[in-house]
Amino acid sequence: MKADTASRIRNNPYFVELEAKRGKFGWWLTAIMLVIYYGFIVLVAFFKGVLGTPVFGVISLAFPLGIGVILSAIVLTGIYVLRANGEFDALTRKIVAGER
Amino acid sequence: MRQFRRALPALGLLAAASRAHAAEGVGQIDIAQTNWTAMAMFFVFVAITLGITYWAARRTQSASAFYTAGGQITGLQNGLAIAGDYMSAASFLGISSLVYNNGFDGLIYSIGFIVGWPIIMSLMAERLRNLGRFTFADVVSYRLSAGPTRVLSACGTLATVAFYLIAQMVGAGQLIKLLSGNLLDYWEAEILVGVLMILYVTFGGMLATTWVQIIKALMLLGGASFMALMVLIYFGFDLTALAAKAVEVHPKHDAIMSPGAFVADPVSTISLGIALMFGTAGLPHILMRFFTVADQKEARKSVFWATSFVGYFYILTFIIGFGAITLVRTNPQYLDAKGALLGGANMPAVWLAHAVGGNLLLGFISAVAFATILAVVSGLTLAGASAISHDIFASVISRGRVNEKVEMRASKIATVAIGIVAIFLGVVFEKQNVAYMVGLAFAVAASSNFPVLFLSMYWKRLSTRGAVIGGFAGLISAVTLTVLSKGIWVTVLGNSAAIFPYDNPALFSMPLAFLLTWVFSITDGSRSAQAEQAAFEPQYIRSMTGIGASGAPAGH
């Protein structure tokens, strides 16, 4: 990519919008996943007793929470795809169209 | 509704059948006998996949076809193939076995294997697709000096591939020997796996490898779903009844319901968590799959499908593991005189298949396990061969001056060489405890491949010097600390106490890689480092928009 192309795209308002929205969104989702996962790991490492509390019959709290972590990973990727394939791709198309 | 009513008697029939199997063990098992059902199903799988390889071979005439199937794989196909690549026999048999022995602690692995995916999705998949062509080293060397960074990436790739491959090859040999009823010797099984993977990869390239992985993923998901369904039917879809029975019959009783039996200290737990999460984002055979789709939209879809399939599968391993506790542990025909599992620690899922579905399901699940190993080793081999032919041979040794034909020939030679090395390593490690190998592969990926790849896409100041020093520091420290930990230092080498007290090095080796990369980048005032910083902007814009990306429809 030539330097003038790069600086032209840099100043394209659609690019600025894409950068701001996608950057923020991506880091938010990453942060949520990190908090959920390491929150869970901290429970496993330091609060074994809490996780061992039975909730459904003999099934302990550890199981619904653990399954919840797995489901949250699927949901977070799903949320990202939904927004990116609509909103972000529309912005990208506008930027690319401006370069043609 | 009508369909639902029609399905009900069928479910009832299944329930009756599953109880009958579990109670009487229809068709007595004898592991010295050849399991002909398993062998027949395995040969059907081999015949189909070789047919696909023949079909794919005619479409694999260019380097782009060989490495990336021409970028023509759809998001759903690629998602299935990633799932097929990722759900190794180690995770299917291994996690079921962990749950069988320790209950809840197996779930820590299942969770760790899945949480890297949202990170790949939101931070890496799009940029990888927009910047890379054949290997992740394409991305790392995009603005950095090609020679040193490609050598680093190739070393990281080959180390990850080798450790992963050893674990798969040893598992394959033991499993095939066992399930063929000693019809095949261990070394014959190794050669069989090695030759098949060489055939798939050399002739069919990425296209054949992708379809082998897709078929395997569907077989594994189907087989695991059916087993879990049979377990649920047996317990009348009452999970609390399943858990209560498991607690009653397991020697550890209540302890299987809470963490602690397997993952010992907090530091090891957190370290393992880091290795699993960030290692996923540094596995070369997974990263390579993002170059097989047309654009960033398909790359995103791939991650979503992969995460969904893998997550679903790991939830199933739980039902399978607890099913095995209740139905295999209590059945003397699967145990030897001392009460240990016939065929070794990895067999709970296989014997559960027999318990709920008789010889037919046992045969099917065994065939699935073979297929799983074959698909995973093929993906690993392709990633390793690409590092040798594309990164080392074509880019470093020949400085990009080879034509496509020569590069492809090099990649095929590399494939054959890796296949032979894999057979050799499989035989050498036969009697070794290789349990630590997959953990080591993830630790290296998290400590070397991931930091360098991530910083190359996100950090302007990254310089070649920083990347190479930090990347090698991560690689070497991950391997060294693993050697000094209990898994090798005590269990394999027979020393009395471990020098490195934790089970997994990633908590230390990954920050070390980041730290050294940072220090040696910010202190790098060389002219080349300044040029590399200046080149960040165009790289960043391409990584965000896809303008100029390989196979991109627009922006030229």
Side-chain angles (χ1 to χ4, degrees), chain B residues 96-127:
Chain B
S96 318
S97 160
L98 274 175
V99 176
Y100 179 83
N101 288 311
N102 304 297
F104 171 78
D105 278 5
L107 189 57
I108 299 171
Y109 273 85
S110 303
I111 291 170
F113 280 127
I114 195 85
V115 291
W117 289 100
I119 312 287
I120 293 179
M121 170 70 101
S122 51
L123 299 181
M124 303 189 63
E126 298 162 341
R127 293 185 184 213

Side-chain angles (χ1 to χ4, degrees), chain A residues 1 6 9-10 15 18-19 22 26-27 29-30 33-34 37-38 40-41 44-46 48 51-52 56-60 62-63 66-67 69-71 73-74 76-78 80-81 84-85 89 92 95-96 99-100, chain B residues 104 107-108 111-112 114-115 118-119 121-123 126 239-240 243-244 257-260 264 266 269-270 273-274 277-278 296-297 300-301 304 307-308 311 315 318 322 454 458 537-538 540-542 544-545 547 554:
Chain A
M1 188 182 293
I9 296 175
R10 191 94 192 74
F15 184 81
L18 175 69
E19 184 183 33
R22 187 157 83 186
W27 286 111
L29 292 186
T30 303
M33 190 70 250
L34 289 174
Y37 179 51
Y38 288 102
F40 181 77
I41 288 289
V44 168
F46 298 105
K48 295 188 192 336
L51 285 181
F56 306 109
V58 296
I59 297 178
S60 67
F63 287 86
I67 305 279
V69 177
I70 294 180
L71 293 179
I74 298 175
L76 287 175
T77 55
Y80 189 85
V81 173
N85 281 5
D89 273 354
T92 309
I95 299 164
V96 172
E99 290 304 310
R100 250 182 231 166
Chain B
F104 171 78
L107 189 57
I108 299 171
I111 291 170
I114 195 85
V115 291
I119 312 287
M121 170 70 101
S122 51
L123 299 181
E126 298 162 341
L239 288 172
T240 52
M257 284 294 148
S258 52
T269 308
I270 293 169
I274 288 178
M277 182 177 225
F278 296 103
Q296 54 178 359
K297 183 180 207 133
R300 288 191 287 259
K301 284 191 203 161
F304 174 68
T307 314
S308 305
I315 292 174
F318 249 67
F322 273 79
F454 177 78
Y458 278 88
E537 182 81 2
Y540 170 68
I541 285 168
R542 170 164 154 179
M544 291 283 286
T545 59
I547 293 173

